[in-house]
Structures are given as structure tokens and as C-alpha cells.
Amino acid sequence: MRASADTIAAIATGTGVGGIGVVRVSGPLAVPIGHALSARELEPRRATLVTLRDALGATLDHGIAIAFKAPFSFTGEDVLELHGHGGRAVLALLLEACLAAGARLARPGEFTERAYLNDKLDLAQAEAVADLISASSATQARAAVRSLEGAFSVEVSALTAELVALRVWIEAALDFPDEEIEFLRQAQLGVKLSAFARSLAGLQARAERGTRLTDGLSVAIIGAPNAGKSSLLNALTRRDAAIVSAIAGTTRDVLREDIAIDGIPLRLVDTAGLRLSADPIEQEGIKRAYAEIERADLILLVVDATAPLSTPVSLPSSTPILTVYNKSDLLPEWPLSDADRLSISALTGAGLAQLNEAIKHKAGLSGDLGGDFSARQRHLDALARAGTALALARAHFEHNLGSELIAEELRFSQNHLSEITGAFGADDLLGEIFSSFCIGK
């Protein structure tokens, strides 16, 4: 446990007016500050009704004080929580009294940072705290809770343990070259490396799903003018978010709307119709449409089912594309759909339920999400670096380039995995992560 020399304080509840507000204090002066403001000895982990006063004895509020002795607290330090009335002025007075008694104002995320430094949480769990606070749907919240409870960390730790066992086996041959450990001639090493690669790929796939649950998906709605892109946006948002008219080229700029499908957040991006145009304003709109195509996680290519002409657009091969045949209600027979093509009517709503399912399927978020955990792009980057190092280790093995090179790449792979939970990493990374938290958490 790391003992902090200073004591921090902050308002822990959100902005606005509420029935109850909380001021949190953590550090060596937490309990003395509680005694000073309440004029009472606070029994640890017991809520006590108190009158809270400033240094001059003026009454600030009547509320509840709870003291937590280290290490049995969120931060692992002595902690004081003052529960008062939820007005901003009242909470500001309580915070001012704590600061006057010796605390300093906490930095954003500093309480959670201290919990991490005191081994109450690992780094992935600490990030899940922020994900839980910012969750906008029940699906996001459940995924964040699973990460906070350690679901993601357990998988990373299991993978790390598997890699450590592999490194121990390889490095034993390096440390004891006279022993008969001819591991490079053993097919078993290749089997172990392949098995670890499969395990890592599986975790990467689950972490990518977790990242999409946390960050949501950017869905670009593109197509030729008058294909019904804005009508589709309005149908999905269930309101008149975009202007719709029979005049081709009505949409000139990018329009963004946030929705959720079964708790999965989506940012829908309506774009200008893609065509050759001499109008400089329309050209700028088309330029912006192509920029959104490059940034999108999923592309909905909207086609007029009554005039399915090819759209003059070059689409990125790495981005999932779902072709949506709109105005299908105008055809004499409803067209067939498959995994890549779907028929709908934005006007009547026919096919929209199937479109929602197709979007989830294309995004890799279909099926039961009950076991998913929240993740971040930082985690995906670390897993990708671990995979790159592992691929080099396998290449060294296949080309018989020496056990030292294999061992070194596996060490790099382990370090990259350890960045996820914070077992290995730089201090500047911690500063970047916790600075994104709200003050008081």
C-alpha cells in the first residue's frame, strides 16, 4: 500500500440540485477532518447523524458522516464521506470547510488513481469505473460492471500466465544449455505458440466487442441523391431529424444523430448524395461525405430499389458494408434479402426491425451480450502490439533463428499484455487515463 502524504477532497455527486450530495475526503487527515466538522468521534463504517460546522462554529448542514479506515476503503486510505443536502451552495460550503481543515482539492480521477496505486483496482477495472459512470444504456452499464468486477482482467491475467509458462520453458533451455532441453527441435513448442496465438486472437475479438459497446459505432448513411438516406435517418431516430424533399441534393452537409439499438449506442451520420456535380457547395458536401466514409465503423449504402443504379463511390475494403434497398414497398414483389443486402421501406417502416438486427450482426454485436465486458481502444492497441510480438516469435521459431530471439519477443508480448491491467506501463499513461475522469471520482 502507498501512503499519501496529502489529503484530497472533492464533491463526489454530479452537478445540479439533488436531495442528497456527497463530499469525499481521502488521506491521512480524513478522520481528523470528520472529527473537526462534526465535533464527534466517528466509528468506522457506521453512518452517524451529525451537525456539520465550519472552523468558527457556524452550522453548515445537518447530514450523515461515514469514516472508513485504511485499507478498508475505496482508495485504500482513510476516507471520509459527508452526506448532506444536495444544493450546490451547501456542498461548496462543506468542501470549503474540508479544505480549510487541511485537505486540498482533488484532481480529476485522483480518488480512483489512489485506489489503483493501492492495489484496490487494477488499471482496466479503474477505467471501468469511468465507463460505468458515462454509460448511457443498460447494456453499456452491465458491460462496465463486468469489467469493474474483473472479467476482462481475469482473461488478461490467464493469458499472461499462459505466456509466462511458455517463457519459463524456453528460457530454461537458455539458462541450462548443457541439459537435454532441445526445445527448438520439439514440435511441442510450435503447438504451444499456435495455441497461445488462438487464445490471444479470441481475447482480441472479445475486447473489440467490448470497445464497440463502450464507444458505440459510427454508422455512415451514404448513397445517390434521392435514395432515401435522410428518410432512413428519420425512421431510425423516430423523428424528423433531417429535411426530406423530392429535390435531389437537399442534404448538403453532414447530419449526426445518436440512437441506441438494444442498448448498443450508434451515431448515425447522414451525408450528401454521391454524384458528379458542378455545384461548389454540393461538392463540399460530397467531400465531407467521403471523409465520414473513411471514419465509419459501418456503412449503410442506401439504394433506390425502384432505380438501382450503381453509385459512383469507392468504399474502403476494411469497413463492413450493408446495402439497403429503400422504397421496396413500391415494387410489385418484396425483394429477397441476405447477409449483405436488405430491403426496407423508410416510409412505412417495413424491414427496419431486420435492419437493426443486420446492423448488430455486421458490427459483431449480435447474439447474447450477457458475457461481454467493456474495453477501450487502449486495450485493443496493447493486444495488437502483443500479437505483433508473438507473430515475430513464431516467425523466429519457424525459421530456426535462435531461442534468444523467441524469448525476447515473448517478453515484449507479455509487457504489452501487462499494460492493460497496469502491471507494466509508464506514469504518463496513468496521467492521461485518470485526467479523463470527473472530479470526485
Side-chain angles (χ1 to χ4, degrees):
M1 303 290 290
R2 300 189 185 188
S4 298
D6 56 351
T7 300
I8 58 175
I11 298 172
T13 41
T15 58
V17 178
I20 297 173
V22 178
V23 173
R24 175 183 283 168
V25 185
S26 180
L29 294 180
V31 174
I33 288 174
H35 175 71
L37 268 65
S38 66
R40 295 186 59 171
E41 293 290 340
L42 299 176
E43 184 179 346
R45 306 176 70 83
R46 180 179 292 274
T48 305
L49 181 64
V50 295
T51 299
L52 299 169
R53 295 183 171 87
D54 62 16
L56 300 179
T59 298
L60 302 176
D61 198 5
H62 300 278
I64 290 174
I66 310 175
F68 301 87
K69 293 292 292 181
F72 305 107
S73 69
F74 173 69
T75 63
E77 305 172 336
D78 286 353
V79 169
L80 170 71
E81 287 188 0
L82 302 176
H83 297 229
H85 293 88
R88 301 308 297 175
V90 174
L91 294 176
L93 288 172
L94 291 177
L95 176 60
E96 183 180 344
C98 293
L99 300 180
R104 66 165 174 82
L105 186 63
R107 293 181 280 104
E110 191 169 3
F111 290 95
T112 309
E113 181 180 10
R114 291 189 177 198
Y116 162 71
L117 294 174
N118 288 324
D119 295 327
K120 306 296 288 187
L121 302 167
D122 65 34
L123 197 52
Q125 290 175 298
E127 290 169 303
V129 172
D131 295 337
L132 182 58
I133 292 172
S134 61
S136 59
S137 71
T139 302
Q140 285 180 308
R142 292 188 186 102
V145 166
R146 280 188 286 274
S147 280
L148 180 56
E149 292 177 337
F152 186 21
S153 302
V154 166
E155 293 208 33
V156 172
S157 298
L159 204 59
T160 303
E162 185 178 342
L163 184 53
V164 168
L166 187 56
R167 286 186 60 203
V168 168
W169 185 48
I170 293 174
E171 294 185 13
L174 297 175
D175 294 337
F176 303 99
D178 296 332
E179 300 292 333
E180 295 184 1
I181 309 177
E182 298 180 356
F183 69 95
L184 286 179
R185 287 195 286 271
Q186 294 180 6
Q188 190 177 6
L189 176 59
V191 172
K192 288 179 178 292
L193 288 171
S194 297
F196 181 76
R198 288 192 296 271
S199 298
L200 179 59
L203 182 57
Q204 284 179 295
R206 290 190 293 280
E208 186 171 349
R209 283 167 59 96
T211 302
R212 289 181 171 176
L213 281 175
T214 302
D215 298 337
L217 297 172
S218 176
V219 181
I221 304 175
I222 69 169
N226 266 1
K229 301 182 298 300
S230 297
S231 296
L232 176 57
L233 176 75
N234 291 343
L236 291 173
T237 58
R238 298 182 181 180
R239 68 185 188 89
D240 292 333
I243 298 174
V244 175
S245 80
I247 301 173
T250 299
T251 301
R252 297 293 187 95
D253 203 351
V254 172
L255 178 63
R256 296 178 176 86
E257 288 290 327
D258 293 324
I259 67 168
I261 295 178
D262 294 339
I264 301 167
L266 302 181
R267 168 153 289 188
L268 302 176
V269 183
D270 186 20
T271 61
L274 302 175
R275 66 176 176 179
L276 297 177
S277 174
D279 185 336
I281 298 178
E282 189 172 2
Q283 287 177 349
E284 178 61 26
I286 293 171
K287 178 182 176 182
R288 296 185 182 189
Y290 277 107
E292 293 299 331
I293 289 172
E294 292 298 323
R295 286 193 286 262
D297 299 306
L298 174 65
I299 294 172
L300 296 185
L301 176 57
V302 182
V303 177
D304 185 344
T306 65
L309 301 177
S310 61
T311 304
V313 59
S314 176
L315 300 178
S317 59
S318 59
T319 306
I321 300 170
L322 181 61
T323 303
V324 181
Y325 287 91
N326 190 28
K327 308 180 186 179
S328 294
D329 56 312
L330 301 179
L331 299 178
E333 185 176 351
W334 193 266
L336 296 176
S337 301
D338 56 32
D340 298 316
R341 295 171 296 182
L342 193 68
S343 298
I344 70 159
S345 170
L347 179 64
T348 67
L352 289 183
Q354 291 78 8
L355 176 60
N356 288 341
E357 291 301 317
I359 288 174
K360 292 194 298 180
H361 178 75
K362 279 288 185 181
L365 293 172
S366 58
D368 183 17
L369 302 178
D372 284 9
F373 48 76
S374 64
R376 296 185 168 196
Q377 185 60 47
R378 181 186 76 82
H379 306 146
L380 292 183
D381 293 341
L383 289 169
R385 290 193 296 271
T388 299
L390 175 62
L392 288 173
R394 296 180 72 186
H396 295 332
F397 168 74
E398 291 169 0
H399 293 90
N400 197 24
L401 295 181
S403 55
E404 294 86 352
L405 294 176
I406 298 174
E408 185 69 0
E409 293 300 338
L410 292 182
R411 183 178 69 84
F412 289 148
S413 186
Q414 181 182 339
N415 288 344
H416 294 316
L417 282 177
S418 298
E419 291 173 13
I420 296 174
T421 58
F424 178 86
D427 290 340
D428 56 351
L429 173 64
L430 301 183
E432 180 181 343
I433 289 173
F434 289 109
S435 66
S436 66
F437 281 50
C438 58
I439 294 177
K441 195 60 181 177

